[in-house]
Amino acid sequence: MRNSASYTCNRCLNALKTTSRILHRPAISSRLAWGSRTISTSQQNGTKLPGREDATQRPIGRRAASSLGGHGQKVKNEPFEFRTPGGPEPTASPATQSRPLLMPNNLFHPFSSSPSPEIRRRAAFMKQNAYCPHPDHHQTRLPMNPDDPEARKSVKGPLPPAHVDFECPDCGIPVSCSEEHWADDYEAHLEICDTLREINEDDHDLRSGRFFPEFEYPGDQIEEAMVNMTNWDTFLFSREFQAINDERSLRQATRLLTYPVTVGSILHELSPYSIKREGRLTVEGLKSLSALRYSLHPPRSGGGPDVKGLRPTPPPMRIFILGARAESSLPREVWVQLTHLFPRVAFHLVFIGPESMANRDAEFPLPERTPSNPYGAIVEDRITNSLKISTYVEYYHTLHEAGHFYPYDPYFDCFMLFHPGLGHPASSHEWEETIPQLLETKVPILVTGYTQYDMERDIDWVKQKVGGEMDMLMEPGENRFRSLRWDLNDLDPQDISCGNWGVWAFRGKRYETTRKGSETEP
């Protein structure tokens, strides 16, 4: 082993010896337990240094104690010689120091008295905008479906509309205008009370300050290790995720992974959706997905790093995500999980929509529109060697009319619509021009919905607008990789949903030309 003097000057060694004799500080272990992780400052080669045990028993100088600075512990009166050069002194932010740490058994809090300022502001927003669902009040809007709480109200009820103000003691969310109305309508509230409490605890868990091991994702996997896409449990196990033994942690993990895994579960050759009975895949769907799977699972080309191993590479698989909102701001490590399912293919994700860069100006300021970049595209091409992401803050029909993505190839292109609200009264007018253009491309269009009613409303709207110009590729039904975490609508606490609950697919109708027998020429 090399002597420490070979790479440390004598002046520093003398200063260390002098400081250690004067201070006589107790030894601090080199392994720091932080949550469920262990951070080690020992060498990575695993060799045992002579005298290691003795070194940890005798007093050490300030330099060893300064390794705690990354965890918010500031060393006072540290000599200048022992500071690590090249960066500012690490100190914990005031927001982190003043934030209370919520334990797993202390996650339930009423929204208005929550230790999180963000949740308290959310409770104030709900009390200013949400209305009491008691049937004695007037209707504030038209019912969206037969199960809508507004359907129980009459147009001219005995009481005017009133905002929610009373928080249920069981779920901690403001659901009624008064305690009397909450008690009178308690039977209807019981249908969602347990789910609302689960939402309450999950929201506080995200702000508890704990370490989230469920947000650490695995890397590449050998191709011989097949992925089981039967359900979330088999997928996480076969993809070698860290074991998630808590239901709450599983809900938090699936809330993000539902976006890439939903796409991968449909396009993969081991997809749980098939043409078999109750497999939900139609004959036309098998044709379209077979073309995509031919490109997603190519045979080995025999290529190599040398000149003899040069092979032509196919174009990347383009997935156009229209109406992008939350999915465009996901951590890029989440979307990288899609590329791990198809290790031989490169992907190009294209987020398109006016809200695709909402609340992200500090992260990526919108570029100016120039002749070389007429639509202000934001390109992220340094994520991995197999993933590129482009974002367009523009409507798709504008890009389609300009032929920006032309031509479309059914072997390399696919459209994905996450909760588009095709049939929703507030957003259906934005899709009237886009849907016919999507059908012209003749490539698969995958669509998800928040609820069963939301999905059926979208299907009815598409059939009404385009009639018989569409082929159903996948029958509507529950998504096997939906988010297991429920979400709350702050404008209506009675409206609860989960991300990507249902999924279905369609495509522009293809007309096959049939020829009769050859006619005799005159």
Side-chain angles (χ1 to χ4, degrees), residues 347-468:
F347 281 88
H348 183 193
L349 303 183
V350 185
F351 296 104
I352 304 175
E355 302 178 17
S356 57
M357 288 296 294
N359 301 324
R360 297 181 63 197
D361 294 338
E363 179 183 1
F364 288 105
L366 294 180
E368 296 182 1
R369 302 197 175 194
T370 60
S372 60
N373 189 11
Y375 298 102
I378 300 174
V379 181
E380 305 169 57
D381 56 353
R382 300 298 178 91
I383 302 174
T384 65
N385 59 351
S386 59
L387 178 62
K388 175 183 175 181
I389 296 180
S390 301
T391 306
Y392 293 83
V393 187
E394 187 60 85
Y395 284 102
Y396 171 77
H397 56 77
T398 303
L399 301 172
H400 181 88
E401 292 172 356
H404 191 66
F405 301 112
Y406 188 83
Y408 298 92
D409 192 336
Y411 282 82
F412 292 98
D413 293 334
C414 175
F415 288 96
M416 186 71 217
L417 282 64
F418 291 108
H419 321 112
L422 300 177
H424 196 280
S427 58
S428 60
H429 65 282
E430 298 179 350
W431 295 97
E432 289 185 359
E433 190 176 355
T434 301
I435 293 299
Q437 295 174 348
L438 295 181
L439 298 180
E440 293 176 3
T441 62
K442 308 300 182 183
V443 300
I445 306 168
L446 313 179
V447 190
T448 64
Y450 284 114
T451 60
Q452 178 75 23
Y453 178 80
D454 180 39
M455 188 169 50
E456 293 177 352
R457 180 179 57 188
D458 291 347
I459 297 175
D460 295 339
W461 183 87
V462 172
K463 291 182 178 179
Q464 178 184 359
K465 293 298 179 180
V466 300

Side-chain angles (χ1 to χ4, degrees), residues 90-142:
T91 56
S93 60
T96 304
Q97 292 178 349
S98 61
R99 182 180 60 187
L101 183 64
L102 300 179
M103 296 294 104
N105 58 353
N106 188 30
L107 294 178
F108 174 74
H109 297 274
F111 267 28
S112 60
S113 59
S114 170
S116 171
E118 183 179 354
I119 294 183
R120 291 198 300 267
R121 289 192 296 267
R122 186 179 177 186
F125 178 84
M126 295 171 64
K127 293 181 179 181
Q128 293 176 358
N129 297 274
Y131 289 94
C132 178
H134 196 275
D136 288 346
H137 294 286
H138 295 177
Q139 281 187 355
T140 57
R141 55 177 174 79
L142 294 177

Side-chain angles (χ1 to χ4, degrees), residues 256-265 330 334-335 337-338 341 418:
L256 301 182
L257 290 173
T258 179
Y259 292 98
V261 179
T262 295
V263 179
S265 65
L330 286 178
V334 178
W335 284 111
Q337 295 301 308
L338 178 62
L341 297 176
F418 291 108

Side-chain angles (χ1 to χ4, degrees), residues 69 74-76 78 83 87-91:
K74 182 178 179 182
V75 181
K76 299 180 181 180
E78 180 179 297
R83 291 186 179 179
E89 184 178 1
T91 56

